[in-house]
Amino acid sequence: MRFYKTGLTLLAAMVLSACSSKTADITNKITVVHGPTSIVNGNAKSADDITVTTPYFAFALSQGALVDLAMVKEGIYTKDLVQSVDFASGAGELKFEKIEIVKHTADELLIQVTRNLNGHSVLSTYEVHKNYPGVKLTTKLQDSVKETLFAGYQLERNQAIDNTNVASYNDMTRMVRNHWTAAQLQNDISELYETDDLRRSSTTKNTEFSAWLSAGSLGNLQSDKQFYTSTSPQAELGLFDLKPTTGNFENYLSVMRQRWNRGERVYLNAGPLLKNAKQASGKVYAYTPKGSITADFARSAARGHSFVSFGPEVYPLTTNFGGEAKAFSKTEVEFRSEVGLAKAEIWLDGVQVAGWKINGAKLFRTGVPVPPNRTWMQWIVEDVQGNKAYSNPIWVK
């Protein structure tokens, strides 16, 4: 019996030791280390390179460029996921001059990199907060550039996104209201989408380019219910354009519809500065059946599996918003409102094609056939107080 107890104690110690070694490298604060990176398969191998670690991810800088990134999965950092994430311009090569750690605390980090582009000074910054899995990227040309620049941030991965074990949220076999999470983004992402190339033609003087490099999060989120900020096995790497969106939501929607007509898979967002006719701000409802964590919210919102609401709610019953529907199939939705519903609309390629009057019901279901030779469909619902909800497009195959 004594040997059994001793063996059990020894076994417990071995298990604890193994667990400790597995998570020992995961920091609970922001750390900065100079020299060759500790990221497995990383490219930052110089004594002058910098590696930054946070509770959710790690990245390395070499000659001012982000050349390595690893995320935390199952208690350890992954292997290097990127070749580079950097400002790119067709006007010439960026020449490194200096790097400076402007601010470094346990919770915040700000790094500035000065480079040269054809005689023009270029200042790039990396901003990290401990509680959010991502990096705010900003590059500003310090003086005027007369020529048109095709420039912006670009992500080059080590390998393509592996969707082998990713659940498809295109089809809604059933709709569970609790599987949707409402939140408001606080970091000025104008539209929701994932792309590896944010380069655009620009002629603006003193141009500033910015992006959010997501390592499982869209950034700061404000939610009515408890919202866990953490990565998960479903966390993904993504690049989002940062551009403050202000003014009237209907004007914003009009521009987005023009982009949908071109087949651009960009999706609606709602931030504090984007108001409806009543000067109220909306929320993004994203499909999160695996729980309200930022990785799942980011995954769904970036794919358009979401809607924007200023009051009522609109849920898909067949094809999810942001998904693809076959022609001649049927798209069905469910509208909800605690104050009562007034009317609903269906839009097709920028034109309203049908509508329903609803006499104050708190729940209403309807559907329409999917027409062929079209690009997108959108549902809109309004409550008795004049507040609306807008689905993201359903793409027509």
Side-chain angles (χ1 to χ4, degrees), residues 190-191 243 245-246 248-264 266 268 376:
S190 54
E191 59 267 342
K243 185 188 302 178
T245 304
T246 62
N248 182 270
F249 184 85
E250 289 287 349
N251 295 337
Y252 165 76
L253 177 62
S254 176
V255 173
M256 294 294 282
R257 284 173 172 164
Q258 293 173 28
R259 300 182 69 178
W260 296 342
N261 285 341
R262 296 194 294 265
E264 292 186 47
V266 294
L268 298 174
W376 58 271

PDB file of all heavy atoms in Angstrom, residues 190-191 243 245-246 248-264 266 268 376:
ATOM      1  N   SER A 190     -13.723  48.938 -41.145  1.00  0.00           N
ATOM      2  CA  SER A 190     -14.853  49.479 -41.895  1.00  0.00           C
ATOM      3  C   SER A 190     -15.751  48.400 -42.472  1.00  0.00           C
ATOM      4  O   SER A 190     -16.966  48.520 -42.455  1.00  0.00           O
ATOM      5  CB  SER A 190     -14.356  50.395 -43.018  1.00  0.00           C
ATOM      6  OG  SER A 190     -13.424  49.726 -43.841  1.00  0.00           O
ATOM      7  N   GLU A 191     -15.155  47.349 -43.008  1.00  0.00           N
ATOM      8  CA  GLU A 191     -15.950  46.229 -43.477  1.00  0.00           C
ATOM      9  C   GLU A 191     -15.264  44.939 -43.067  1.00  0.00           C
ATOM     10  O   GLU A 191     -14.080  44.918 -42.773  1.00  0.00           O
ATOM     11  CB  GLU A 191     -16.154  46.263 -44.986  1.00  0.00           C
ATOM     12  CG  GLU A 191     -14.885  46.230 -45.803  1.00  0.00           C
ATOM     13  CD  GLU A 191     -14.379  47.613 -46.164  1.00  0.00           C
ATOM     14  OE1 GLU A 191     -15.142  48.571 -46.086  1.00  0.00           O
ATOM     15  OE2 GLU A 191     -13.187  47.708 -46.510  1.00  0.00           O
ATOM     16  N   LYS A 243     -10.075  51.357 -41.288  1.00  0.00           N
ATOM     17  CA  LYS A 243     -10.468  52.643 -41.857  1.00  0.00           C
ATOM     18  C   LYS A 243     -11.684  53.132 -41.083  1.00  0.00           C
ATOM     19  O   LYS A 243     -12.748  52.512 -41.137  1.00  0.00           O
ATOM     20  CB  LYS A 243     -10.824  52.500 -43.332  1.00  0.00           C
ATOM     21  CG  LYS A 243     -11.124  53.806 -44.051  1.00  0.00           C
ATOM     22  CD  LYS A 243     -11.644  53.537 -45.444  1.00  0.00           C
ATOM     23  CE  LYS A 243     -10.645  52.732 -46.262  1.00  0.00           C
ATOM     24  NZ  LYS A 243     -11.161  52.402 -47.623  1.00  0.00           N
ATOM     25  N   THR A 245     -15.070  54.349 -40.062  1.00  0.00           N
ATOM     26  CA  THR A 245     -16.305  54.503 -40.814  1.00  0.00           C
ATOM     27  C   THR A 245     -17.265  55.366 -40.002  1.00  0.00           C
ATOM     28  O   THR A 245     -17.703  54.976 -38.922  1.00  0.00           O
ATOM     29  CB  THR A 245     -16.947  53.145 -41.102  1.00  0.00           C
ATOM     30  OG1 THR A 245     -15.993  52.332 -41.792  1.00  0.00           O
ATOM     31  CG2 THR A 245     -18.177  53.295 -41.978  1.00  0.00           C
ATOM     32  N   THR A 246     -17.578  56.544 -40.526  1.00  0.00           N
ATOM     33  CA  THR A 246     -18.464  57.470 -39.840  1.00  0.00           C
ATOM     34  C   THR A 246     -19.636  57.818 -40.743  1.00  0.00           C
ATOM     35  O   THR A 246     -19.664  57.470 -41.923  1.00  0.00           O
ATOM     36  CB  THR A 246     -17.709  58.764 -39.468  1.00  0.00           C
ATOM     37  OG1 THR A 246     -17.256  59.396 -40.681  1.00  0.00           O
ATOM     38  CG2 THR A 246     -16.512  58.475 -38.584  1.00  0.00           C
ATOM     39  N   ASN A 248     -23.674  58.138 -42.045  1.00  0.00           N
ATOM     40  CA  ASN A 248     -24.970  57.501 -42.139  1.00  0.00           C
ATOM     41  C   ASN A 248     -24.858  56.064 -42.636  1.00  0.00           C
ATOM     42  O   ASN A 248     -24.190  55.796 -43.631  1.00  0.00           O
ATOM     43  CB  ASN A 248     -25.859  58.320 -43.090  1.00  0.00           C
ATOM     44  CG  ASN A 248     -27.245  57.749 -43.206  1.00  0.00           C
ATOM     45  OD1 ASN A 248     -27.485  56.915 -44.070  1.00  0.00           O
ATOM     46  ND2 ASN A 248     -28.153  58.191 -42.350  1.00  0.00           N
ATOM     47  N   PHE A 249     -25.535  55.135 -41.938  1.00  0.00           N
ATOM     48  CA  PHE A 249     -25.444  53.731 -42.304  1.00  0.00           C
ATOM     49  C   PHE A 249     -26.003  53.473 -43.696  1.00  0.00           C
ATOM     50  O   PHE A 249     -25.470  52.633 -44.438  1.00  0.00           O
ATOM     51  CB  PHE A 249     -26.186  52.871 -41.277  1.00  0.00           C
ATOM     52  CG  PHE A 249     -26.050  51.393 -41.524  1.00  0.00           C
ATOM     53  CD1 PHE A 249     -24.952  50.706 -41.031  1.00  0.00           C
ATOM     54  CD2 PHE A 249     -26.993  50.702 -42.280  1.00  0.00           C
ATOM     55  CE1 PHE A 249     -24.806  49.344 -41.269  1.00  0.00           C
ATOM     56  CE2 PHE A 249     -26.855  49.346 -42.524  1.00  0.00           C
ATOM     57  CZ  PHE A 249     -25.759  48.659 -42.012  1.00  0.00           C
ATOM     58  N   GLU A 250     -27.064  54.166 -44.091  1.00  0.00           N
ATOM     59  CA  GLU A 250     -27.659  53.952 -45.409  1.00  0.00           C
ATOM     60  C   GLU A 250     -26.675  54.311 -46.525  1.00  0.00           C
ATOM     61  O   GLU A 250     -26.618  53.632 -47.552  1.00  0.00           O
ATOM     62  CB  GLU A 250     -28.947  54.766 -45.547  1.00  0.00           C
ATOM     63  CG  GLU A 250     -30.110  54.257 -44.699  1.00  0.00           C
ATOM     64  CD  GLU A 250     -30.709  52.967 -45.231  1.00  0.00           C
ATOM     65  OE1 GLU A 250     -30.377  52.575 -46.365  1.00  0.00           O
ATOM     66  OE2 GLU A 250     -31.523  52.339 -44.511  1.00  0.00           O
ATOM     67  N   ASN A 251     -25.899  55.376 -46.341  1.00  0.00           N
ATOM     68  CA  ASN A 251     -24.875  55.734 -47.329  1.00  0.00           C
ATOM     69  C   ASN A 251     -23.795  54.660 -47.404  1.00  0.00           C
ATOM     70  O   ASN A 251     -23.328  54.293 -48.485  1.00  0.00           O
ATOM     71  CB  ASN A 251     -24.255  57.086 -46.986  1.00  0.00           C
ATOM     72  CG  ASN A 251     -25.252  58.224 -47.083  1.00  0.00           C
ATOM     73  OD1 ASN A 251     -26.252  58.118 -47.783  1.00  0.00           O
ATOM     74  ND2 ASN A 251     -24.989  59.315 -46.383  1.00  0.00           N
ATOM     75  N   TYR A 252     -23.393  54.177 -46.244  1.00  0.00           N
ATOM     76  CA  TYR A 252     -22.416  53.091 -46.158  1.00  0.00           C
ATOM     77  C   TYR A 252     -22.949  51.842 -46.859  1.00  0.00           C
ATOM     78  O   TYR A 252     -22.242  51.173 -47.627  1.00  0.00           O
ATOM     79  CB  TYR A 252     -22.129  52.827 -44.684  1.00  0.00           C
ATOM     80  CG  TYR A 252     -21.434  51.540 -44.337  1.00  0.00           C
ATOM     81  CD1 TYR A 252     -20.074  51.371 -44.554  1.00  0.00           C
ATOM     82  CD2 TYR A 252     -22.143  50.498 -43.736  1.00  0.00           C
ATOM     83  CE1 TYR A 252     -19.434  50.188 -44.187  1.00  0.00           C
ATOM     84  CE2 TYR A 252     -21.514  49.318 -43.376  1.00  0.00           C
ATOM     85  CZ  TYR A 252     -20.161  49.166 -43.604  1.00  0.00           C
ATOM     86  OH  TYR A 252     -19.535  47.996 -43.242  1.00  0.00           O
ATOM     87  N   LEU A 253     -24.231  51.528 -46.623  1.00  0.00           N
ATOM     88  CA  LEU A 253     -24.859  50.372 -47.234  1.00  0.00           C
ATOM     89  C   LEU A 253     -24.894  50.500 -48.757  1.00  0.00           C
ATOM     90  O   LEU A 253     -24.679  49.518 -49.482  1.00  0.00           O
ATOM     91  CB  LEU A 253     -26.273  50.187 -46.687  1.00  0.00           C
ATOM     92  CG  LEU A 253     -27.115  49.051 -47.260  1.00  0.00           C
ATOM     93  CD1 LEU A 253     -26.454  47.697 -46.988  1.00  0.00           C
ATOM     94  CD2 LEU A 253     -28.523  49.077 -46.673  1.00  0.00           C
ATOM     95  N   SER A 254     -25.151  51.708 -49.246  1.00  0.00           N
ATOM     96  CA  SER A 254     -25.193  51.937 -50.692  1.00  0.00           C
ATOM     97  C   SER A 254     -23.857  51.614 -51.347  1.00  0.00           C
ATOM     98  O   SER A 254     -23.803  50.980 -52.406  1.00  0.00           O
ATOM     99  CB  SER A 254     -25.580  53.391 -50.978  1.00  0.00           C
ATOM    100  OG  SER A 254     -25.549  53.658 -52.357  1.00  0.00           O
ATOM    101  N   VAL A 255     -22.765  52.012 -50.699  1.00  0.00           N
ATOM    102  CA  VAL A 255     -21.425  51.715 -51.221  1.00  0.00           C
ATOM    103  C   VAL A 255     -21.159  50.214 -51.177  1.00  0.00           C
ATOM    104  O   VAL A 255     -20.602  49.636 -52.114  1.00  0.00           O
ATOM    105  CB  VAL A 255     -20.356  52.488 -50.422  1.00  0.00           C
ATOM    106  CG1 VAL A 255     -18.944  52.060 -50.842  1.00  0.00           C
ATOM    107  CG2 VAL A 255     -20.529  53.988 -50.610  1.00  0.00           C
ATOM    108  N   MET A 256     -21.565  49.574 -50.100  1.00  0.00           N
ATOM    109  CA  MET A 256     -21.356  48.134 -49.982  1.00  0.00           C
ATOM    110  C   MET A 256     -22.133  47.379 -51.051  1.00  0.00           C
ATOM    111  O   MET A 256     -21.638  46.398 -51.620  1.00  0.00           O
ATOM    112  CB  MET A 256     -21.780  47.658 -48.586  1.00  0.00           C
ATOM    113  CG  MET A 256     -20.908  48.209 -47.471  1.00  0.00           C
ATOM    114  SD  MET A 256     -19.205  47.599 -47.518  1.00  0.00           S
ATOM    115  CE  MET A 256     -19.422  45.968 -46.828  1.00  0.00           C
ATOM    116  N   ARG A 257     -23.336  47.823 -51.371  1.00  0.00           N
ATOM    117  CA  ARG A 257     -24.115  47.162 -52.424  1.00  0.00           C
ATOM    118  C   ARG A 257     -23.438  47.283 -53.787  1.00  0.00           C
ATOM    119  O   ARG A 257     -23.495  46.350 -54.597  1.00  0.00           O
ATOM    120  CB  ARG A 257     -25.524  47.757 -52.460  1.00  0.00           C
ATOM    121  CG  ARG A 257     -26.420  47.261 -51.338  1.00  0.00           C
ATOM    122  CD  ARG A 257     -27.738  47.998 -51.309  1.00  0.00           C
ATOM    123  NE  ARG A 257     -28.659  47.384 -50.349  1.00  0.00           N
ATOM    124  CZ  ARG A 257     -29.755  47.968 -49.893  1.00  0.00           C
ATOM    125  NH1 ARG A 257     -30.081  49.190 -50.325  1.00  0.00           N
ATOM    126  NH2 ARG A 257     -30.536  47.352 -49.032  1.00  0.00           N
ATOM    127  N   GLN A 258     -22.808  48.411 -54.033  1.00  0.00           N
ATOM    128  CA  GLN A 258     -22.060  48.561 -55.284  1.00  0.00           C
ATOM    129  C   GLN A 258     -20.928  47.545 -55.352  1.00  0.00           C
ATOM    130  O   GLN A 258     -20.648  46.969 -56.413  1.00  0.00           O
ATOM    131  CB  GLN A 258     -21.512  49.984 -55.391  1.00  0.00           C
ATOM    132  CG  GLN A 258     -22.572  51.067 -55.541  1.00  0.00           C
ATOM    133  CD  GLN A 258     -21.974  52.460 -55.481  1.00  0.00           C
ATOM    134  OE1 GLN A 258     -20.802  52.662 -55.834  1.00  0.00           O
ATOM    135  NE2 GLN A 258     -22.758  53.422 -55.027  1.00  0.00           N
ATOM    136  N   ARG A 259     -20.289  47.315 -54.222  1.00  0.00           N
ATOM    137  CA  ARG A 259     -19.200  46.344 -54.183  1.00  0.00           C
ATOM    138  C   ARG A 259     -19.735  44.925 -54.329  1.00  0.00           C
ATOM    139  O   ARG A 259     -19.114  44.075 -54.966  1.00  0.00           O
ATOM    140  CB  ARG A 259     -18.401  46.509 -52.883  1.00  0.00           C
ATOM    141  CG  ARG A 259     -17.778  47.894 -52.733  1.00  0.00           C
ATOM    142  CD  ARG A 259     -16.945  48.025 -51.479  1.00  0.00           C
ATOM    143  NE  ARG A 259     -15.738  47.222 -51.553  1.00  0.00           N
ATOM    144  CZ  ARG A 259     -14.815  47.193 -50.595  1.00  0.00           C
ATOM    145  NH1 ARG A 259     -14.964  47.933 -49.499  1.00  0.00           N
ATOM    146  NH2 ARG A 259     -13.745  46.439 -50.729  1.00  0.00           N
ATOM    147  N   TRP A 260     -20.894  44.644 -53.740  1.00  0.00           N
ATOM    148  CA  TRP A 260     -21.508  43.322 -53.899  1.00  0.00           C
ATOM    149  C   TRP A 260     -21.859  43.071 -55.369  1.00  0.00           C
ATOM    150  O   TRP A 260     -21.715  41.946 -55.855  1.00  0.00           O
ATOM    151  CB  TRP A 260     -22.770  43.215 -53.036  1.00  0.00           C
ATOM    152  CG  TRP A 260     -22.509  43.300 -51.565  1.00  0.00           C
ATOM    153  CD1 TRP A 260     -21.304  43.113 -50.934  1.00  0.00           C
ATOM    154  CD2 TRP A 260     -23.450  43.590 -50.540  1.00  0.00           C
ATOM    155  NE1 TRP A 260     -21.441  43.276 -49.569  1.00  0.00           N
ATOM    156  CE2 TRP A 260     -22.755  43.570 -49.300  1.00  0.00           C
ATOM    157  CE3 TRP A 260     -24.811  43.873 -50.529  1.00  0.00           C
ATOM    158  CZ2 TRP A 260     -23.383  43.813 -48.080  1.00  0.00           C
ATOM    159  CZ3 TRP A 260     -25.444  44.122 -49.313  1.00  0.00           C
ATOM    160  CH2 TRP A 260     -24.739  44.091 -48.107  1.00  0.00           C
ATOM    161  N   ASN A 261     -22.309  44.123 -56.055  1.00  0.00           N
ATOM    162  CA  ASN A 261     -22.639  43.981 -57.481  1.00  0.00           C
ATOM    163  C   ASN A 261     -21.413  43.564 -58.296  1.00  0.00           C
ATOM    164  O   ASN A 261     -21.538  42.901 -59.333  1.00  0.00           O
ATOM    165  CB  ASN A 261     -23.205  45.286 -58.036  1.00  0.00           C
ATOM    166  CG  ASN A 261     -24.639  45.531 -57.603  1.00  0.00           C
ATOM    167  OD1 ASN A 261     -25.338  44.613 -57.199  1.00  0.00           O
ATOM    168  ND2 ASN A 261     -25.082  46.781 -57.666  1.00  0.00           N
ATOM    169  N   ARG A 262     -20.229  43.974 -57.823  1.00  0.00           N
ATOM    170  CA  ARG A 262     -18.986  43.593 -58.504  1.00  0.00           C
ATOM    171  C   ARG A 262     -18.502  42.222 -58.055  1.00  0.00           C
ATOM    172  O   ARG A 262     -17.446  41.760 -58.495  1.00  0.00           O
ATOM    173  CB  ARG A 262     -17.897  44.647 -58.237  1.00  0.00           C
ATOM    174  CG  ARG A 262     -18.214  46.019 -58.796  1.00  0.00           C
ATOM    175  CD  ARG A 262     -16.973  46.902 -58.802  1.00  0.00           C
ATOM    176  NE  ARG A 262     -16.489  47.220 -57.464  1.00  0.00           N
ATOM    177  CZ  ARG A 262     -16.798  48.324 -56.794  1.00  0.00           C
ATOM    178  NH1 ARG A 262     -17.611  49.218 -57.347  1.00  0.00           N
ATOM    179  NH2 ARG A 262     -16.294  48.554 -55.612  1.00  0.00           N
ATOM    180  N   GLY A 263     -19.235  41.602 -57.148  1.00  0.00           N
ATOM    181  CA  GLY A 263     -18.856  40.275 -56.660  1.00  0.00           C
ATOM    182  C   GLY A 263     -17.854  40.303 -55.524  1.00  0.00           C
ATOM    183  O   GLY A 263     -17.324  39.255 -55.136  1.00  0.00           O
ATOM    184  N   GLU A 264     -17.583  41.487 -54.953  1.00  0.00           N
ATOM    185  CA  GLU A 264     -16.631  41.591 -53.839  1.00  0.00           C
ATOM    186  C   GLU A 264     -17.265  41.023 -52.577  1.00  0.00           C
ATOM    187  O   GLU A 264     -18.340  41.471 -52.156  1.00  0.00           O
ATOM    188  CB  GLU A 264     -16.227  43.046 -53.613  1.00  0.00           C
ATOM    189  CG  GLU A 264     -15.406  43.652 -54.725  1.00  0.00           C
ATOM    190  CD  GLU A 264     -14.923  45.051 -54.355  1.00  0.00           C
ATOM    191  OE1 GLU A 264     -14.418  45.219 -53.229  1.00  0.00           O
ATOM    192  OE2 GLU A 264     -15.069  45.968 -55.172  1.00  0.00           O
ATOM    193  N   VAL A 266     -17.276  41.372 -49.399  1.00  0.00           N
ATOM    194  CA  VAL A 266     -17.072  42.200 -48.213  1.00  0.00           C
ATOM    195  C   VAL A 266     -18.391  42.233 -47.452  1.00  0.00           C
ATOM    196  O   VAL A 266     -19.456  42.066 -48.038  1.00  0.00           O
ATOM    197  CB  VAL A 266     -16.619  43.626 -48.594  1.00  0.00           C
ATOM    198  CG1 VAL A 266     -15.249  43.592 -49.234  1.00  0.00           C
ATOM    199  CG2 VAL A 266     -17.627  44.295 -49.528  1.00  0.00           C
ATOM    200  N   LEU A 268     -20.941  43.651 -43.940  1.00  0.00           N
ATOM    201  CA  LEU A 268     -21.331  44.793 -43.125  1.00  0.00           C
ATOM    202  C   LEU A 268     -20.706  44.745 -41.740  1.00  0.00           C
ATOM    203  O   LEU A 268     -20.573  43.688 -41.126  1.00  0.00           O
ATOM    204  CB  LEU A 268     -22.860  44.828 -42.983  1.00  0.00           C
ATOM    205  CG  LEU A 268     -23.673  45.007 -44.271  1.00  0.00           C
ATOM    206  CD1 LEU A 268     -25.150  44.871 -43.947  1.00  0.00           C
ATOM    207  CD2 LEU A 268     -23.374  46.353 -44.912  1.00  0.00           C
ATOM    208  N   TRP A 376     -26.505  38.523 -55.767  1.00  0.00           N
ATOM    209  CA  TRP A 376     -26.721  38.469 -54.319  1.00  0.00           C
ATOM    210  C   TRP A 376     -28.154  38.806 -53.943  1.00  0.00           C
ATOM    211  O   TRP A 376     -28.888  39.441 -54.689  1.00  0.00           O
ATOM    212  CB  TRP A 376     -25.762  39.398 -53.582  1.00  0.00           C
ATOM    213  CG  TRP A 376     -25.842  40.860 -54.003  1.00  0.00           C
ATOM    214  CD1 TRP A 376     -25.131  41.452 -55.009  1.00  0.00           C
ATOM    215  CD2 TRP A 376     -26.666  41.887 -53.448  1.00  0.00           C
ATOM    216  NE1 TRP A 376     -25.453  42.793 -55.108  1.00  0.00           N
ATOM    217  CE2 TRP A 376     -26.398  43.086 -54.152  1.00  0.00           C
ATOM    218  CE3 TRP A 376     -27.594  41.924 -52.408  1.00  0.00           C
ATOM    219  CZ2 TRP A 376     -27.029  44.292 -53.869  1.00  0.00           C
ATOM    220  CZ3 TRP A 376     -28.233  43.131 -52.118  1.00  0.00           C
ATOM    221  CH2 TRP A 376     -27.946  44.294 -52.836  1.00  0.00           C
TER     222      TRP A 376
END
